[in-house]
Each structure stands twice: as structure tokens, then as C-alpha cells.
Amino acid sequence: TTRLPRPRTFDAWVGYRDYRFLWTGNFCANTAQWLQLLSLGWLIHHLTEGSSASSLLVVTVGGINTLPGLVVGPWGGVLGDRIDRRKLVISIQAFMAVFAFSFAFLVRSDAVAVWHVYVYAIVSGACLSVSQPMRQALIANTVPREAMINAYAANVLTIPGTRMIGPFVGGIIVATLGFFWNFTIESMLYVGMILAYLPMKTPYTTPRKSLTSGVGGMVSDLVEGLRFVWSGNRVLFLVIMLTLVPNVALQPVMFLLPVFTSEVLGKGADVGGYMMAASGLGGLIMAVAVASFGFVYGRGRVCLATAIISCSLALALSQALWLPAALVGIAVFAGSQTTFRTTSGTLIQTLTPDELRGRVTSLQRYGHGFVVASSLTVGWLAGATSVTTAMLAMGVVGLAVAVPFAILSRRLRDQS
């Protein structure tokens, strides 16, 4: 008799106290991130409504917060391998709590301008480029190696799950109470993350054997991380390069949702929140599946397949002119994106030693820094032609990269 495998969705959550604190804190931080993404996009749309540059500005405000990662991200990884990652994340989130609350009052004063929103996006992006990789790296510091795949996959649940809650509630708040409360709630969520992290311990941290002080030591650490990715384990380099497809070519799909919702579907911020929530539901279903049953096929093949599927779904979503079809399309698209990120993330975490984990995880996220360039291009194209054309272009470009990669990257295909 063939028995179905036992679901292992929350094995790490139940088994490890410190991981529960980490998971809870990450849930708060990711809710704040999605709430911010929705709020900034609709705030720019509100401030520029009727302008020919509105589409461009809406898309780029979502992408510009990734720009600081090109400079700050790698050095954040170096810092995360030198000092206590937990304390580093707490410090950054404390600053963001104050910053978000201050911005909320700027919005309430009706003095907010487009450039204020961009400054807010850039500063928060700089903080995120350091804190997010460290929150991922902390997973391996709170559970033993044999529980890491389940713990990483369960942690991914905090991303699509919060994408359902944050934008759903945020869209309703924007439509009824205004933007002030969105940024106030964002600040409170950062405080919630700090409270969850304070009692957390990191028993599975591997101390650095040697540490060279000064600027020269930090440069040496950065070079060591780059060298490890390039030649220490070639699969790491291949995975990081492949992440450019979902993170650069396709990420502007999420930034276009306010414009897509308004211009194609003819709906407002409340439906924009439903669209983002639907994307969260699709991602949540796939994250639960991976956390519960692991990987049926080799992780390398799953990475390559889901990159191609995501591009194809972007093409299909561009033609979804009926709201129910659009909701289903964005849900399935987000599910494929979540599967790719879970699979690639577990590969990187399991192949990287802890003393290099901060640097390698930051380099994994480095491609996000190029999102601003793709967002500018997509935003310009959406304004010059249409949102539908821009989404079609994203899918075509993604396929042009992902398909040859799948054919030629045998070493990644064979990765279990």
C-alpha cells in the first residue's frame, strides 16, 4: 500500500523556540514591506494622477528602493559576517520604525511631494538591502542543518502570507481613511519585529576563526565572498545569475499593478489591494506545498522550470482584461515566483558555510539593484504604449534569458 507522505509544514516552527521568534519577526517585517509597496505606489498615483508621467513614476517608485542594494547590499553582507546578525537587524528596524512614523506625519500634513516619496523609498531600500539577507541568514542560526530546508520553506510562508494581509488591509485603508494610517501601521509592524527578535538566540552560529580589522579587512572579506561564489561552488554562481529573470525581468509586474488595476481593469485602490492579496494567496499555496512535502524533483530543475513558467504567465496575465481572470492570473504567477525563490534560496543556504552566509546571501539579492533600470524601462514603455504591451515585453525578455539558460546550464539542472 502506498501511503501519502506526512505534511511537515511547521516541523521547524514547532521544534525550535528561537526559530518561532524569527518567523514571527519576519512575518511582521514582511507585512510592513508589502504594505509599504502598495502605499507608495498608490500615493504616487494619487499625487501624479492625470500626468503623462504617472505610469513611469508609479513603477519606478517600486523599483527605486532596490537601487541602494547595489552599493549598500554587499557591505551589509560583510557586516553581517562580522557582528551579531540579530543585533544588526534590530538596529536597522528600530530606525525604520521611527522613519516610517515620521513620514506618516508628513503625509498627514498634506505637505508630501513626489520627491519625498522617492527619498522614503530609497532610504527604506537601503535598510532592506541589509536587513532582508540577514533575516534569511538567521534561519540557519536558529535551526540545525537537517531542519534548514523545512525552516527556509516555512519562512517563505511569511512572504506570500503577508502579501495577502498587508495589501488587502492597506488598500481598504487607503480607500477609506487615507495614507497616514498605512505608514503608521508600517511603523508599528517594525516595532513588532523588534519585540519578537529580542528574546531570540542563535545557537547554530559558527564563529569566525579570524577577523582582520579596519577597511582593509572588510575589503578582503568582500573579495573572499565574491571568490567563493565565482569558484568555490559554481552552482551558486549559476543560481544567482538565474535570479535575474524573476527579480529583474519580471519584478516590475508587481509594480505595475496600480496602473494595471486602474487603466486596464478600471478599478481603484481597494481592488488593487485584492490583486496584491491574490498574488499572496498563490504564493502561499506553493510555499505550503514545498514546506509540507519538500522537493519532488531536483531543485536545479525546479529553478529552471519555474523561471520559464513565470515568464509565460506574465504573457498570459497581460491579456487578462476581466477581473476574475486577472485575480487568478496574478495568483498563479506569484505561485511560480515563490516556488523559484524558495528553491533557489534553499540551494544557496545549504551550499554556503555559515562564516560566509551573510556575504553570499547579500550577493544573492544583489540582482535586485538592477530592478530600478528594468522598472524605468517598463514604466516608460507603459506610458508610451500601454500596460499590456509593457507586460508582454517583460515576458518575452524573461523567456529570451531563461530558455537558453535551461538548455546550457547542465550543472544546475543536475543539482538535487
Side-chain angles (χ1 to χ4, degrees):
T1 302
T2 301
R3 294 182 178 180
L4 292 174
R6 179 184 70 84
R8 299 179 293 108
T9 314
F10 293 107
D11 279 10
W13 200 94
V14 172
Y16 302 96
R17 169 184 177 273
D18 295 309
Y19 177 74
R20 290 196 292 272
F21 288 129
L22 175 71
W23 193 96
T24 303
N26 289 351
F27 186 91
C28 292
N30 287 326
T31 303
Q33 180 185 346
W34 289 114
L35 180 61
Q36 181 194 106
L37 179 62
L38 174 116
S39 302
L40 293 181
W42 281 101
L43 180 57
I44 287 290
H45 188 266
H46 170 72
L47 294 173
T48 62
E49 193 168 8
S51 168
S52 60
S54 182
S55 295
L56 176 63
L57 292 172
V58 168
V59 174
T60 52
V61 78
I64 202 168
N65 80 328
T66 64
L67 186 61
L70 292 175
V71 177
V72 178
W75 297 108
V78 170
L79 196 60
D81 284 340
R82 285 177 157 258
I83 65 175
D84 189 320
R85 293 167 186 155
R86 169 183 155 275
K87 292 180 179 178
L88 176 62
V89 174
I90 289 174
S91 300
I92 292 172
Q93 299 300 75
F95 168 79
M96 276 305 303
V98 175
F99 191 53
F101 197 53
S102 302
F103 188 75
F105 277 94
L106 178 64
V107 172
R108 188 167 191 172
S109 69
D110 289 327
V112 66
V114 170
W115 72 269
H116 292 135
V117 183
Y118 272 77
V119 169
Y120 184 79
I122 290 171
V123 173
S124 62
C127 294
L128 187 65
S129 68
V130 177
S131 63
Q132 190 174 63
M134 293 310 104
R135 287 192 280 116
Q136 291 182 20
L138 280 166
I139 296 171
N141 300 146
T142 57
V143 298
R145 183 176 178 82
E146 60 270 18
M148 190 156 60
I149 290 179
N150 176 258
Y152 191 94
N155 182 72
V156 172
L157 292 172
T158 67
I159 301 175
T162 56
R163 193 160 68 222
M164 292 174 60
I165 298 171
F168 181 83
V169 175
I172 295 173
I173 292 174
V174 168
T176 56
L177 301 177
F179 292 100
F180 167 78
W181 286 105
N182 276 29
F183 294 106
T184 300
I185 294 171
E186 180 187 343
S187 175
M188 294 169 63
L189 286 165
Y190 293 133
V191 173
M193 195 229 76
I194 293 169
L195 294 176
Y197 269 45
L198 284 175
M200 185 179 77
K201 308 295 182 185
T202 54
Y204 299 98
T205 302
T206 302
R208 292 278 296 275
K209 294 180 180 179
S210 60
L211 195 64
T212 305
S213 60
V215 176
M218 293 190 69
V219 172
S220 297
D221 282 358
L222 179 60
V223 172
E224 182 184 17
L226 292 170
R227 187 182 298 116
F228 180 77
V229 169
W230 176 253
S231 58
N233 192 320
R234 195 65 171 179
V235 173
L236 287 173
F237 175 76
L238 294 173
V239 172
I240 290 173
M241 291 302 296
L242 184 60
T243 59
L244 294 177
V245 173
N247 292 339
V248 179
L250 300 180
Q251 185 65 19
V253 168
M254 303 304 297
F255 305 150
L256 272 177
L257 284 184
V259 183
F260 182 84
T261 304
S262 177
E263 296 184 4
V264 177
L265 300 177
K267 305 296 182 179
D270 51 347
V271 175
Y274 305 154
M275 287 286 288
M276 192 77 83
S279 72
L281 177 62
L284 181 65
I285 290 171
M286 294 310 301
V288 168
V290 174
S292 299
F293 303 110
F295 299 100
V296 178
Y297 303 100
R299 284 178 289 174
R301 293 180 184 274
V302 173
C303 279
L304 294 165
T306 50
I308 294 173
I309 291 170
S310 294
C311 298
S312 303
L313 289 169
L315 296 175
L317 180 62
S318 69
Q319 304 303 308
L321 307 181
W322 183 43
L323 178 58
L327 290 170
V328 172
I330 194 65
V332 180
F333 171 80
S336 66
Q337 292 277 83
T338 297
T339 305
F340 175 88
R341 287 171 177 148
T342 305
T343 310
S344 61
T346 58
L347 269 175
I348 288 172
Q349 294 301 312
T350 53
L351 294 174
T352 304
D354 190 55
E355 59 268 20
L356 287 162
R357 199 178 303 280
R359 282 164 283 179
V360 174
T361 307
S362 294
L363 291 173
Q364 173 194 3
R365 184 181 161 78
Y366 192 74
H368 282 74
F370 299 104
V371 171
V372 67
S374 63
S375 298
L376 283 168
T377 304
V378 168
W380 169 83
L381 185 60
T385 56
S386 67
V387 179
T388 299
T389 301
M391 295 179 75
L392 281 170
M394 281 187 280
V396 170
V397 170
L399 285 173
V401 176
V403 171
F405 208 103
I407 296 171
L408 300 174
S409 301
R410 180 178 178 181
R411 187 176 298 184
L412 178 56
R413 282 203 312 275
D414 294 341
Q415 189 68 36
S416 62

